[in-house]
């Protein structure tokens, strides 16, 4: 198809009935606008979904900081004396332990949260479960090199798929942390028996020792985005269908039906002009104009026919 | 309709979704201890690279996110097992016996560690005046933390009926030996598979049980799902396992040797157990071991 042909198809070249032409034009325009809208909204929604997840991750990390604070200030003073005694080490006094435990409960609160995972990874951890892997080590290293960095976000790929992550540094800001994390001699004896004396010591004040890392499967981002996109596209399509139906009915009522009537009357008028009346002439729109023109033509025709009849009389 | 059927069919056959082997929390929680009790810490038994390789192997075999928890302390591991916090664990013999007990409900599926002919012994200094277990009345004694077979369950079982002046714990046999050397205790628990100590010591008692090897155990929720493909994947890639783990591909743990030990562990567990640095009376119902 050549360009003029396409333009002809779109704007009409008089080769089709009006209604069909309108349907074609509207369908093409609507489809094109839905496509363009979806393409633009795709970007917008992806950005929004990521924003939402970053915001939620940030909220999680803030909550975990609050849990840590609560444990340091309110729980530790009560439990710490127990850990100095002969019993088994109670990790409930440990800020990191309560944060990760609370997060596990949080995940059960809403199915949406289940996909999030929270880690407090460290280069030299007390609990070897928190040992930073290669990816986490690189994040912690970049926090150590640029201590003013507030947070890092990005994407990582694992055998389980793509993940979106948000990370913040963990800095030793209080001397109270060093009771348990500086030397085995300073730590409670029960902690030594529980975690050993070979790891999790030698931390310094103001050192970045690890990172809080929240990860979410990229699928979750994509799913949220796809859902918004699908809803919007369906709504748009619905609006367009309504607009199309309305345009069709307006076209039919205002133009097509009167035009068919006028054309029928014009046909009759060509035989018996006197008996035909173009009632649409009272209308104020273009149909009224057309009817008035036909009315004048009918009158001229009637006069001409009368004159012709008179001349034929002997 | 046909399209729908096709889509559903495609989902059903997609690998991963159907065959992921996860714990009830949606991840695979894995506990890891060095297979020999009280020799070195878990941290030192496995290098970072080995741990990462193990983690990625477990992840590939289970297709589930893996939380790997290497522990230095058998006591904390015991707590994790009793609370069923792990879906899978690599355990030394004592904890294997504990995990297979009715309270924890794990099943051992693969043998770990190399044959060491471990036996539990009680050592005193060569110069000491102790000649039989009965002489240890009111003595101070050094043990490994709760959960160890050679360092905790068997010694306590053998010391049944004694009043001890103090029980002190150490994380490994080397630290116990140092306590004996510094005269902080009069007797310590020992494992006969270890190289002979540098200190001049005497064996006060050697337990008759030859200890089984450690094992890889699965939780009840894993054994009730289809874990055969997972095990097969581990067996096929056993070379990726840390060498210190001694994972034996396709080798089921021997059940016979562990039965009497399970009974001993269960009966000692039912006692009121000693606290660090406190006096203790070894007393409670005793199973026939």
């Amino acid at each position: 198809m050549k360009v003029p042909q396409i333009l002809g198809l779109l704007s009409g070249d008089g080769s089709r009935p009006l209604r069909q032409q309108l349907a074609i034009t509207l369908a093409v325009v609507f489809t094109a606008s839905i496509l363009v809208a979806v393409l633009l909204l795709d970007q917008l929604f992806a950005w929004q979904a990521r924003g939402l997840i970053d915001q939620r991750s940030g909220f999680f990390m803030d909550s975990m900081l609050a849990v840590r604070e609560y444990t340091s200030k309110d729980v530790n003073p009560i439990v710490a004396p127990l850990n100095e005694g002969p019993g088994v080490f109670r990790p409930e006094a440990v800020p990191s332990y309560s944060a990760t435990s609370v997060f596990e409960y949080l995940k059960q609160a809403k199915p949406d949260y289940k996909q999030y995972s929270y880690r407090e990874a460290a280069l030299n951890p007390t609990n070897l479960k928190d040992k930073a892997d290669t990816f986490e080590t690189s994040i912690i290293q970049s926090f150590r090199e640029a201590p003013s960095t507030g947070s890092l976000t990005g994407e990582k790929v694992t055998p389980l798929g793509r993940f979106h992550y948000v990370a913040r540094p963990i800095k030793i800001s209080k001397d109270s942390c060093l009771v348990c994390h500086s030397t085995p001699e300073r730590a409670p004896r029960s902690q030594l028996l529980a975690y050993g004396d070979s790891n999790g010591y030698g931390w310094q004040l103001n050192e970045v020792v690890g990172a809080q890392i929240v990860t979410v499967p990229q699928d979750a981002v994509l799913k949220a985005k796809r859902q918004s996109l699908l809803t919007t596209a369906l709504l748009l399509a619905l609006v367009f269908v309504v607009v199309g139906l309305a345009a069709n009915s307006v076209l039919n009522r205002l133009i097509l039906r009167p035009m068919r009537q006028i054309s029928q009357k014009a046909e009759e008028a060509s035989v018996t002009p006197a008996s035909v009346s173009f009632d649409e002439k009272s209308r104020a729109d273009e149909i009224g104009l057309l009817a008035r023109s036909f009315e004048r033509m009918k009158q001229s025709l009637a006069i001409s026919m009368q004159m012709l009849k008179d001349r034929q009389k002997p | 309709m046909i399209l729908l059927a096709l889509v559903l069919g495609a989902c059903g056959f997609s690998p991963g979704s159907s065959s992921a082997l996860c714990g009830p929390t949606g991840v695979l929680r894995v506990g890891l201890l060095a297979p020999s009790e009280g020799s070195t810490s878990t941290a030192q038994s496995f290098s970072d690279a080995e741990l990462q390789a193990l983690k990625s192997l477990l992840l590939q075999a289970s297709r589930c996110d893996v939380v790997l928890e290497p522990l230095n302390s058998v006591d904390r591991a015991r707590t994790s097992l009793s609370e069923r916090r792990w879906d899978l664990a690599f355990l030394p013999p004592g904890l294997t016996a504990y995990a297979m007990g009715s309270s924890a409900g794990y099943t051992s599926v693969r043998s770990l560690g190399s044959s060491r002919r471990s036996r539990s012994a009680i050592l005193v200094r060569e110069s000491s005046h102790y000649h039989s277990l009965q002489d240890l009345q009111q003595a101070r004694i050094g043990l490994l933390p709760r959960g160890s077979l050679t360092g905790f369950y068997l010694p306590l079982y053998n010391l049944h009926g004694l009043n001890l002046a103090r029980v002190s714990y150490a994380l490994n046999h080397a630290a116990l030996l140092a306590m004996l050397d510094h005269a902080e205790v009069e007797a310590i628990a020992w494992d006969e598979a270890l190289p002979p100590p540098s200190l001049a010591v005497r064996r006060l008692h050697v337990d008759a049980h030859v200890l089984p090897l450690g094992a890889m155990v699965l939780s009840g929720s894993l054994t009730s799902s289809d874990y055969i493909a997972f095990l097969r994947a581990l067996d096929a890639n056993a070379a990726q396992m840390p060498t210190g783990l001694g994972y034996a591909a396709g080798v089921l743990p021997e059940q016979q040797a562990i039965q009497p030990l399970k009974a001993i562990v269960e009966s000692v567990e039912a006692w009121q157990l000693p606290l660090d640095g406190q006096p203790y009376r070894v007393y409670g119902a005793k199973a026939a071991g």
Side-chain angles (χ1 to χ4, degrees), chain A:
Chain A
M1 243 201 254
K2 296 209 182 71
V3 177
Q5 272 175 306
I6 297 178
L7 283 179
L9 186 71
L10 271 180
S11 60
D13 49 10
S15 61
R16 288 172 210 85
L18 278 182
R19 189 188 283 218
Q20 200 180 344
Q21 180 61 52
L22 185 76
I24 291 179
T25 308
L26 283 185
V28 170
V29 169
F30 286 174
T31 317
S33 18
I34 289 184
L35 274 181
V36 171
V38 162
L39 281 181
L40 291 178
L41 289 176
D42 185 59
Q43 301 293 319
L44 180 70
F45 287 157
W47 182 74
Q48 261 184 346
R50 225 170 288 134
L52 177 77
I53 282 176
D54 285 355
Q55 202 183 353
R56 199 180 264 175
S57 309
F59 173 72
F60 284 156
M61 291 196 272
D62 287 336
S63 318
M64 293 308 114
L65 284 184
V67 172
R68 288 177 133 270
E69 193 71 18
Y70 167 73
T71 315
S72 293
K73 284 212 177 111
D74 302 354
V75 181
N76 192 27
I78 301 171
V79 183
L82 286 180
N83 284 338
E84 296 296 341
V88 192
F89 183 75
R90 306 293 331 180
E92 287 80 358
V94 175
S96 167
Y97 179 86
S98 48
T100 32
S101 310
V102 166
F103 195 82
E104 284 310 307
Y105 286 121
L106 188 63
K107 274 167 74 160
Q108 333 237 309
K110 246 187 178 182
D112 256 13
Y113 297 168
K114 242 205 160 108
Q115 324 184 355
Y116 287 78
S117 77
Y118 175 77
R119 280 207 13 108
E120 294 192 355
L123 297 180
N124 170 22
T126 320
N127 187 333
L128 295 168
K129 179 179 74 172
D130 301 325
K131 176 87 191 164
D133 61 22
T134 329
F135 159 75
E136 291 164 340
T137 303
S138 70
I139 287 188
I140 297 170
Q141 286 302 358
S142 49
F143 282 135
R144 286 166 77 96
E145 279 152 25
S148 56
T149 317
S151 75
L152 286 175
T153 62
E155 235 182 71
K156 70 165 181 168
V157 182
T158 78
L160 292 176
R162 304 171 82 79
F163 287 80
H164 180 72
Y165 71 84
V166 186
R168 285 194 200 160
I170 297 178
K171 198 167 159 185
I172 300 301
S173 50
K174 289 194 247 29
D175 196 50
S176 69
C177 312
L178 295 181
V179 173
C180 304
H181 290 297
S182 58
T183 60
E185 289 73 37
R186 238 183 119 182
R189 184 173 146 71
S190 56
Q191 182 186 330
L192 291 185
L193 282 177
Y195 294 89
D197 54 7
S198 56
N199 43 279
Y201 299 101
W203 296 6
Q204 308 287 332
L205 201 61
N206 290 324
E207 184 189 1
V208 171
V209 294
Q212 292 181 293
I213 303 177
V214 173
T215 45
V216 201
Q218 196 73 16
D219 282 353
V221 185
L222 290 181
K223 210 173 121 197
K225 184 193 81 177
R226 244 183 272 129
Q227 226 149 28
S228 318
L229 204 58
L230 194 68
T231 328
T232 317
L234 283 180
L235 273 180
L236 271 182
L238 187 73
V239 167
F240 285 170
V241 165
V242 169
V243 168
L245 287 178
N248 193 358
S249 111
V250 167
L251 181 76
N252 197 27
R253 219 171 57 79
L254 278 182
I255 305 176
L256 297 182
R257 207 181 318 145
M259 266 174 56
R260 273 194 298 266
Q261 280 164 358
I262 290 176
S263 133
Q264 200 182 350
K265 284 178 191 167
E267 201 104 346
E268 283 172 32
S270 66
V271 188
T272 56
S275 66
V276 176
S277 159
F278 288 95
D279 304 327
E280 293 85 354
K281 63 182 183 271
S282 57
R283 286 173 60 150
D285 58 6
E286 284 81 354
I287 297 292
L289 194 67
L290 187 68
R292 284 193 292 279
S293 305
F294 269 110
E295 185 64 32
R296 266 192 303 278
M297 205 172 86
K298 180 200 89 179
Q299 279 165 6
S300 313
L301 189 64
I303 293 170
S304 308
M305 285 171 93
Q306 192 58 48
M307 276 164 61
L308 210 62
K309 234 185 246 173
D310 289 350
R311 210 175 295 165
Q312 280 171 350
K313 279 181 189 158

